[in-house]
Amino acid sequence: MKYNIAVDQKLPFWGLIATADFLYTDVINDILYQNLNLKGPTGALNGADTRPTYDRRDEIDPTYGRIILASNTTLGHAYNVTATIRKPFENGFQGQVSWSYGDSFKVFDGTSSQNSSQWRNRQTVNGKNADLDVDARSDFSLGHRITSNASYEITWNDNLKTTFGLFYEGVQGNPFSYTYREGRDLLNDDSRDNALIYVPANQGEITLADQSADGGLTPDQQWEALDAFIEGDDYLRSRRGQYAERNGDRGPWSHVIDFKLLQDFSLKLGNTKHTFQASLDIFNFTNLLNKDWGQRNFVPGNVGLLTTVAGGPDPVFTFDPTQFEEGVRVIDDRGLQSSRWQMQLGLRYLFN
């Protein structure tokens, strides 16, 4: 069920038009998956992290592997709000500035073609069959987005016209989850844990393996690096002594500016006006000016902050700070959504 309200209002100065729009979506029925062949918890972890543990190899009926039940849930909702101020074309100029924010919450996002993968891919604290009555931020939550565009047109004479245009987009990074890197099982409810991490409040709440014999770090050195990483992240710092949430954090912002130049050459023959329009588009224009500008950032859906080297009930982990020297971001470089500048030339023929 979707609800929408919007308003357009012409403002009493400079001919500006303001627009506001609010959209809310409420889930009536959405898909829900459970593995019916998994028994309940067989124990729990010791210490600050007391989550339950399972024995995935002890199925209810060993004749089968996973037995996935698909049913329905009423949980889930999404909303989006947008505000825009627009200057209609006047004296050669037009422009627009928009801000939008969207958030969405789901139990399952439906990112796979197989029902078993839908179940396996769910990030949880207590197990994939647990907490099915709790929705969390969706992989497709939009976050903040700011866009603006402006163009200025210069008419030299009846036959020549030049138009300059700029487009800006600032986008908040995608949501992601802090999980344990695949090692030995922690939850052990499946061969792929996808277990959300417990964020230690102090060194006494985590056991780190000694890696110095292999040229790595001692437990104290790992904790010093991990503690600094947690303190340097607003989200993790707020979750000390608690579990990370599914898609609880977001990646860094990306800022990109595109440039456009149009040159019209016109000639009127009889009653028909013929126009050749040459165009120059530079996508990610700021990256042309500086190779460190215009980088589009994204973060993989799961960030394996800690590696499990021994399972419960007293798990042992390692932390490798070299994997996060640039933080958790990855530079996006795909097609027109590239972190590299691209140029396009065009020619159009118009007549009327």
Side-chain angles (χ1 to χ4, degrees), residues 82-324:
T82 300
T84 301
I85 295 180
R86 179 169 57 90
K87 169 61 179 175
F89 184 83
E90 183 179 14
N91 297 325
F93 175 80
Q94 71 84 31
Q96 176 176 297
V97 177
S98 293
W99 163 80
S100 64
Y101 177 77
D103 212 349
S104 55
F105 298 85
K106 299 265 286 183
V107 177
F108 285 92
D109 268 314
T111 56
S112 176
S113 60
Q114 298 183 10
N115 53 13
S116 60
S117 296
Q118 304 282 17
W119 181 79
R120 297 183 71 206
N121 289 339
R122 189 170 186 256
Q123 305 99 335
T124 69
V125 171
N126 297 312
K128 301 174 187 64
N129 276 354
D131 299 331
L132 293 178
D133 57 346
V134 176
D135 54 358
R137 177 167 286 116
S138 167
D139 295 345
F140 305 104
S141 172
L142 296 176
H144 292 279
R145 182 172 183 256
I146 300 172
T147 61
S148 65
N149 66 77
S151 66
Y152 186 66
E153 179 182 294
I154 303 174
T155 302
W156 305 100
N157 53 46
D158 290 341
N159 299 320
L160 291 175
K161 182 176 69 174
T162 305
T163 305
F164 302 90
L166 289 172
F167 174 80
Y168 162 78
E169 180 185 46
V171 181
Q172 191 178 23
N174 60 287
F176 66 93
S177 305
Y178 286 104
T179 60
Y180 293 105
R181 190 178 297 273
E182 292 293 348
R184 297 186 182 182
D185 291 317
L186 186 72
L187 282 169
N188 199 28
D189 64 339
D190 186 70
S191 58
R192 182 183 300 166
D193 260 3
N194 281 325
L196 296 164
I197 68 168
Y198 175 82
V199 185
N202 53 63
Q203 189 173 0
E205 292 190 344
I206 186 171
T207 302
L208 296 165
D210 191 347
Q211 301 288 295
S212 58
D214 299 321
L217 302 179
T218 66
D220 287 344
Q221 290 172 326
Q222 291 179 62
W223 169 253
E224 183 179 358
L226 176 60
D227 188 52
F229 185 88
I230 294 172
E231 279 300 300
D233 184 276
D234 291 341
Y235 175 74
L236 288 177
R237 187 169 63 249
S238 72
R239 301 297 297 179
R240 279 192 183 271
Q242 304 175 75
Y243 296 104
E245 301 160 297
R246 179 157 61 99
N247 288 329
D249 205 355
R250 286 188 176 274
W253 281 70
S254 299
H255 304 277
V256 173
I257 295 177
D258 298 332
F259 171 79
K260 189 177 191 72
L261 173 64
L262 296 174
Q263 180 61 58
D264 290 12
F265 305 90
S266 300
L267 180 64
K268 190 168 186 178
L269 298 176
N271 294 325
T272 303
K273 183 178 181 180
H274 302 267
T275 300
F276 286 94
Q277 185 182 79
S279 64
L280 168 66
D281 290 282
I282 303 178
F283 305 104
N284 204 343
F285 176 63
T286 48
N287 185 250
L288 173 64
L289 304 179
N290 187 313
K291 66 181 180 64
D292 295 323
W293 295 350
Q295 294 179 345
R296 296 181 182 270
N297 304 299
F298 79 99
V299 179
N302 288 352
V303 173
L305 192 64
L306 295 163
T307 300
T308 309
V309 295
D314 298 297
V316 180
F317 308 98
T318 60
F319 175 69
D320 184 1
T322 62
Q323 296 179 336
F324 303 101

